[in-house]
Amino acid sequence: MTSNNGHTNGHAVRKINFGAGPAQLPLEVLESVQAEFLDFNGTGTNIMELSHRSTAFAKVIEDAEQDIRDILSIPDSYAVLFFQGGATGQFSAVPLHFLNLKPSQTADYLVTGYWSEKAAKEAEKFGKVNWVIPKGSKYQDVPDEDTWKLTEDPSYFYYCSNETIHGIELIDVPAIVPKHVPIICDMSSNFLTRPFDVTKYAVVFSSAQKNFGISGLTLVILRKDLIEKTCNKSIPTILDYKIHIDNGSMYNTPPTFSIYITNKMFNWIKQQGGLKAMNELSHKKSSRIYEIIDQSNGFYINSINKKYRSRTNIPFRIVTNGLPNEKLETLFLKQASQLNMIELKGHRAVGGIRVSLYNGITLEQTNILIDFMRTFQTNNN
Amino acid sequence: MTSNNGHTNGHAVRKINFGAGPAQLPLEVLESVQAEFLDFNGTGTNIMELSHRSTAFAKVIEDAEQDIRDILSIPDSYAVLFFQGGATGQFSAVPLHFLNLKPSQTADYLVTGYWSEKAAKEAEKFGKVNWVIPKGSKYQDVPDEDTWKLTEDPSYFYYCSNETIHGIELIDVPAIVPKHVPIICDMSSNFLTRPFDVTKYAVVFSSAQKNFGISGLTLVILRKDLIEKTCNKSIPTILDYKIHIDNGSMYNTPPTFSIYITNKMFNWIKQQGGLKAMNELSHKKSSRIYEIIDQSNGFYINSINKKYRSRTNIPFRIVTNGLPNEKLETLFLKQASQLNMIELKGHRAVGGIRVSLYNGITLEQTNILIDFMRTFQTNNN
């Protein structure tokens, strides 16, 4: 069934998709969905044709919540919510609920790349935002914490734990932020790739389409007591945390098929060995790619401070005579594609190549890319 | 392949799903999705694994837009937008954009049931709403237009063309509303079941999961010139019409799989003969059910004014000795289920039985229900 470059289902080779998202799903998850496509669990329908109030779907969403509570050891004092609207929806929901939580009426935003910049600008629509570090342009590093300008008692501190476009990852909560400050984190591109302590956060959110599902679904984990302290009565219902909590994420029709896929992905992560296994896999895959880059004598260059190199998104340039060589990069993409490796083009803001290594990418697939990178360098150095 | 009660795929009988939504999809649509589940169109992936910026997905969303423009003859002066968040999202987006469009700073809401009531209450979060008719409780009729209290020059006039729970349908734009007033309509439960003139409306919206897809997607058709007149700078991005127009509904990752299914549904509708065919089908199915009800000598009762009876949602009670007989209704649901007909239970606000007849329900399937209704009456009268 499995070929060197992917998987054949009798008539086509499965590509290896290194894209930044929506991302590749594990083949076994896809096959399981396909097998029950006309009859989910004896219902005689596809799950996406069933009412969200049906017993069958109720079990799907309850299982999904329980699984993620198990996977992350989420305590009862936190709500687990399923939203529509992507991380972009949460960029609004967060300030709409919490910007005026403290008398300072100011939120601290650590802007380390494209997505935290978007979040900060969205928050500015609704109130006062303090940029903790000066606006960057290249986003290849994070200034030392002792240079950060923090608000005395901010309503919250916001950051993005992994910048998908720039490839910057902050593994830990910044130590300089005082314990009493609510910390809000966008984990959209590294959620469920490693264990973390939920209780360090006030709110964690992540869109599903990178590490645990498909687009159209955003998971929000939220400390429930915070909700009692908000006073904004003009929050659109689809962004309202309290309404979602009170209605088990089913005030209105949720994205049922996306939740069903996420339920499968949570199951798959558990079967793989949970976040410990995901962490090991993520570490192995990314460190091998960085090794190739660092041992290439400057043929491949990743410009991110090593301390902040992302495990899930690795942008790099192909360099000859000290300059990025776009012609070689185009050739790289073309030859990779001929070997069934797709979606490797870097974001236009950065250029070059980007390798995204989400949960759905196997070690075997990563090794195929590594072999190709080696050969490509030998042939073009 | 086809059994009397549905369809067998070798191991299971497909149920007939008369639920109010998410609703049954045409079997041929499901089978086509299933067939390409591991390889969409030669891409070697499922469409839901691909970037929304990929050539393959760009073609899907462009085709979907072109198809709906063809189906409804939508002129270029209107935008076609794909949103997340359901009709509930639009309940906020509409007043956030248009409540202060005119000096009256008031919107007229015609509340004819559960969903238009929800919309009016959501709008009240953001400004002044005039209820055109007094708040009803049973919602079995619409008061005569000459009793309506309209605002002199409202920012817009809002109504819901089909109340899914109460089974009230307004086929035409109310004649009493002056031509210059922007008309905004929630068509979530009868969209694409009949032709209509888009140019009579300022905004039309519909969630996809009833007549043209699955949950997680909402289609918005909007007169573009209206957008230039709005001045609210604090609209959450995921509800912002201008941002969606400027970015072809791809400012952030759209619900790609839901859009793909909707693309298939638009194709299917075209193949069936477009809205003329959908209208005939809808008329045939619903008039046969109403016939059985009206010829039952009061065994089945639908209490909606005949002028406003919905073609897509038919609530009825089973009545003995002049009173709803819940025991018989339970038996009806049980026996229907044994014949593979599911999701017939009425909404808790109304009770009894509800038959939803969206585009995915065939005439043959409706006839099976009709036969059962006849037999059930004979056996239990």
Side-chain angles (χ1 to χ4, degrees):
Chain A
M1 286 286 276
T2 311
S3 80
N4 195 36
N5 294 330
H7 180 92
T8 60
N9 61 6
H11 60 90
V13 174
R14 283 270 302 164
K15 303 283 183 180
I16 308 175
N17 178 358
F18 288 106
Q24 177 177 300
L25 294 169
L27 186 59
E28 50 269 46
V29 167
L30 284 176
E31 285 176 337
S32 132
V33 173
Q34 187 184 35
E36 61 197 24
F37 211 70
L38 299 183
D39 179 26
F40 168 71
N41 219 1
T43 57
T45 72
N46 188 301
I47 186 75
M48 66 190 175
E49 299 175 285
L50 280 176
S51 168
H52 54 297
R53 309 285 177 200
S54 65
T55 319
F57 183 73
K59 189 167 157 37
V60 167
I61 194 167
E62 282 161 19
D63 281 1
E65 176 172 346
Q66 191 55 55
D67 279 348
I68 190 64
R69 284 190 182 276
D70 294 347
I71 289 169
L72 275 168
S73 305
I74 303 173
D76 287 345
S77 51
Y78 282 73
V80 169
L81 305 171
F82 298 94
F83 274 82
Q84 295 184 54
T88 303
Q90 298 308 311
F91 294 172
S92 317
V94 162
L96 279 168
H97 285 84
F98 301 124
L99 203 47
N100 296 332
L101 200 62
K102 297 278 179 72
S104 67
Q105 301 201 5
T106 304
D108 279 358
Y109 275 69
L110 176 69
V111 174
T112 53
Y114 185 90
W115 291 107
S116 45
E117 187 178 328
K118 287 259 186 202
K121 286 182 176 167
E122 183 77 8
E124 283 173 345
K125 283 187 188 173
F126 308 107
K128 235 167 84 190
V129 168
N130 169 48
W131 292 50
V132 168
I133 54 177
K135 188 185 167 335
S137 56
K138 288 193 159 182
Y139 293 124
Q140 296 178 342
D141 198 359
V142 182
D144 283 343
E145 292 191 6
D146 53 20
T147 68
W148 295 7
K149 288 190 181 122
L150 297 171
T151 302
E152 172 71 24
D153 190 20
S155 290
Y156 58 86
F157 174 91
Y158 178 101
Y159 78 110
C160 174
S161 61
N162 189 78
E163 286 285 353
T164 318
I165 290 174
H166 292 91
I168 288 186
E169 185 171 25
L170 281 87
I171 291 288
D172 288 314
V173 172
I176 200 173
V177 182
K179 289 274 175 291
H180 68 273
V181 175
I183 292 176
I184 298 182
C185 186
D186 172 7
M187 291 196 185
S188 288
S189 46
N190 66 351
F191 189 66
L192 302 188
T193 63
R194 62 181 175 95
F196 69 94
D197 181 356
V198 169
T199 65
K200 287 186 180 170
Y201 298 89
V203 183
V204 166
F205 62 87
S206 174
S207 52
Q209 69 266 18
K210 299 178 195 292
N211 284 300
F212 62 100
I214 63 172
S215 68
L217 178 66
T218 309
L219 193 81
V220 177
I221 303 170
L222 177 142
R223 223 179 70 207
K224 283 189 269 188
D225 66 299
L226 277 181
I227 286 303
E228 309 307 326
K229 296 172 190 157
T230 64
C231 54
N232 186 347
K233 301 288 178 211
S234 303
I235 299 173
T237 290
I238 61 156
L239 294 177
D240 191 306
Y241 291 141
K242 185 158 171 31
I243 290 176
H244 271 63
I245 292 172
D246 292 347
N247 293 277
S249 299
M250 297 226 270
Y251 177 84
N252 66 329
T253 315
T256 53
F257 190 76
S258 301
I259 293 172
Y260 156 76
I261 298 283
T262 281
N263 184 27
K264 296 238 178 226
M265 280 299 297
F266 288 164
N267 255 295
W268 179 86
I269 289 170
K270 284 174 98 170
Q271 279 163 19
Q272 302 300 305
L275 296 185
K276 191 169 170 287
M278 290 298 106
N279 190 28
E280 279 168 19
L281 179 64
S282 171
H283 179 75
K284 266 189 203 162
K285 290 183 298 190
S286 57
S287 56
R288 287 183 192 182
I289 299 278
Y290 282 120
E291 215 174 85
I292 291 290
I293 290 172
D294 292 340
Q295 294 173 355
S296 72
N297 295 317
F299 182 74
Y300 298 120
I301 288 194
N302 167 280
S303 307
I304 306 301
N305 179 344
K306 285 189 183 175
K307 207 174 136 189
Y308 298 113
R309 278 176 164 183
S310 167
R311 295 163 305 127
T312 46
N313 306 101
I314 307 180
F316 62 85
R317 302 297 311 240
I318 299 178
V319 173
T320 50
N321 303 322
L323 285 172
N325 187 327
E326 287 186 17
K327 220 173 136 186
L328 267 192
E329 288 170 346
T330 304
L331 186 67
F332 181 98
L333 294 172
K334 191 182 161 196
Q335 293 185 353
S337 169
Q338 286 162 350
L339 295 168
N340 293 317
M341 292 179 283
I342 61 169
E343 301 272 352
L344 279 161
K345 192 172 182 184
H347 190 275
R348 63 188 180 281
V350 179
I353 316 290
R354 174 172 51 176
V355 181
S356 295
L357 299 169
Y358 299 129
N359 286 340
I361 297 283
T362 65
L363 196 58
E364 188 202 4
Q365 292 175 326
T366 310
N367 287 337
I368 293 169
L369 176 61
I370 285 169
D371 286 346
F372 168 64
M373 285 175 72
R374 273 209 196 91
T375 311
F376 188 84
Q377 183 180 356
T378 307
N379 293 344
N380 296 280
N381 215 353
Chain B
M1 287 286 276
T2 312
S3 81
N4 197 35
N5 295 328
H7 178 96
T8 60
N9 62 5
H11 59 90
V13 174
R14 282 271 301 166
K15 302 285 182 181
I16 307 175
N17 178 359
F18 289 105
Q24 177 178 297
L25 294 169
L27 186 58
E28 50 268 47
V29 167
L30 285 176
E31 285 175 338
S32 130
V33 174
Q34 187 185 35
E36 62 196 24
F37 211 72
L38 299 183
D39 179 25
F40 168 73
N41 219 2
T43 57
T45 72
N46 189 301
I47 185 75
M48 66 191 174
E49 300 174 285
L50 280 176
S51 167
H52 53 299
R53 310 283 177 203
S54 65
T55 319
F57 183 73
K59 188 165 159 38
V60 168
I61 194 167
E62 281 160 20
D63 281 0
E65 177 172 345
Q66 192 53 56
D67 278 347
I68 191 65
R69 284 190 181 275
D70 294 347
I71 289 169
L72 275 167
S73 307
I74 303 173
D76 286 347
S77 51
Y78 282 73
V80 170
L81 306 170
F82 298 94
F83 274 81
Q84 295 185 55
T88 302
Q90 298 307 311
F91 295 171
S92 317
V94 162
L96 279 168
H97 285 83
F98 302 124
L99 204 48
N100 296 332
L101 200 61
K102 298 279 178 71
S104 67
Q105 301 201 3
T106 303
D108 279 357
Y109 274 71
L110 176 67
V111 174
T112 54
Y114 185 91
W115 291 107
S116 44
E117 187 178 326
K118 287 260 187 200
K121 287 180 176 168
E122 183 77 9
E124 283 173 344
K125 282 186 186 172
F126 308 107
K128 237 167 80 191
V129 169
N130 169 48
W131 292 50
V132 168
I133 54 176
K135 187 185 168 333
S137 55
K138 287 191 157 182
Y139 293 124
Q140 296 178 342
D141 199 0
V142 181
D144 284 345
E145 292 191 5
D146 54 19
T147 69
W148 294 9
K149 289 193 178 117
L150 297 171
T151 301
E152 173 71 24
D153 189 21
S155 290
Y156 58 86
F157 174 90
Y158 178 101
Y159 78 109
C160 173
S161 61
N162 190 78
E163 286 286 352
T164 318
I165 290 173
H166 292 90
I168 288 186
E169 185 171 23
L170 282 87
I171 292 288
D172 288 315
V173 172
I176 198 171
V177 181
K179 290 271 175 293
H180 68 272
V181 175
I183 292 176
I184 298 183
C185 186
D186 172 7
M187 292 197 185
S188 288
S189 47
N190 66 352
F191 188 67
L192 302 189
T193 62
R194 62 183 175 93
F196 69 93
D197 180 357
V198 169
T199 65
K200 287 186 179 170
Y201 298 88
V203 183
V204 166
F205 63 86
S206 175
S207 53
Q209 69 267 18
K210 299 178 194 292
N211 284 299
F212 62 99
I214 63 173
S215 68
L217 178 66
T218 308
L219 192 81
V220 177
I221 303 169
L222 177 142
R223 223 179 70 206
K224 283 189 270 188
D225 67 300
L226 276 181
I227 285 304
E228 307 308 325
K229 297 170 189 158
T230 63
C231 54
N232 186 348
K233 302 284 178 216
S234 304
I235 299 174
T237 290
I238 60 156
L239 295 176
D240 192 304
Y241 292 141
K242 185 157 170 35
I243 290 175
H244 271 64
I245 292 172
D246 291 348
N247 294 277
S249 300
M250 297 224 271
Y251 177 84
N252 67 328
T253 317
T256 53
F257 190 76
S258 300
I259 292 172
Y260 157 76
I261 297 283
T262 280
N263 185 27
K264 296 240 176 223
M265 280 299 298
F266 288 164
N267 254 296
W268 179 86
I269 289 170
K270 283 175 99 171
Q271 280 163 17
Q272 303 301 303
L275 295 186
K276 191 168 169 291
M278 289 298 108
N279 190 29
E280 280 168 19
L281 179 64
S282 172
H283 179 73
K284 267 190 203 160
K285 290 184 298 189
S286 58
S287 56
R288 287 185 191 181
I289 299 277
Y290 282 120
E291 215 174 85
I292 290 290
I293 290 172
D294 292 341
Q295 293 173 355
S296 72
N297 293 316
F299 182 75
Y300 298 120
I301 288 192
N302 166 279
S303 307
I304 306 302
N305 179 344
K306 285 188 183 177
K307 208 173 134 187
Y308 298 113
R309 277 176 162 181
S310 166
R311 294 162 306 128
T312 45
N313 306 101
I314 307 180
F316 63 84
R317 302 298 309 242
I318 299 177
V319 173
T320 50
N321 303 319
L323 285 172
N325 188 329
E326 289 186 16
K327 221 172 133 184
L328 267 191
E329 287 169 348
T330 304
L331 186 67
F332 182 98
L333 294 171
K334 192 182 160 194
Q335 292 184 355
S337 168
Q338 285 161 350
L339 294 168
N340 293 318
M341 291 178 283
I342 61 169
E343 301 272 352
L344 281 160
K345 194 174 181 183
H347 190 273
R348 62 188 180 282
V350 178
I353 315 292
R354 173 171 52 177
V355 181
S356 295
L357 299 170
Y358 299 129
N359 286 341
I361 296 284
T362 65
L363 196 58
E364 187 202 7
Q365 291 175 326
T366 311
N367 287 336
I368 293 169
L369 176 61
I370 285 168
D371 286 346
F372 167 64
M373 285 176 74
R374 274 210 195 91
T375 311
F376 188 82
Q377 184 180 356
T378 308
N379 293 345
N380 296 281
N381 215 352

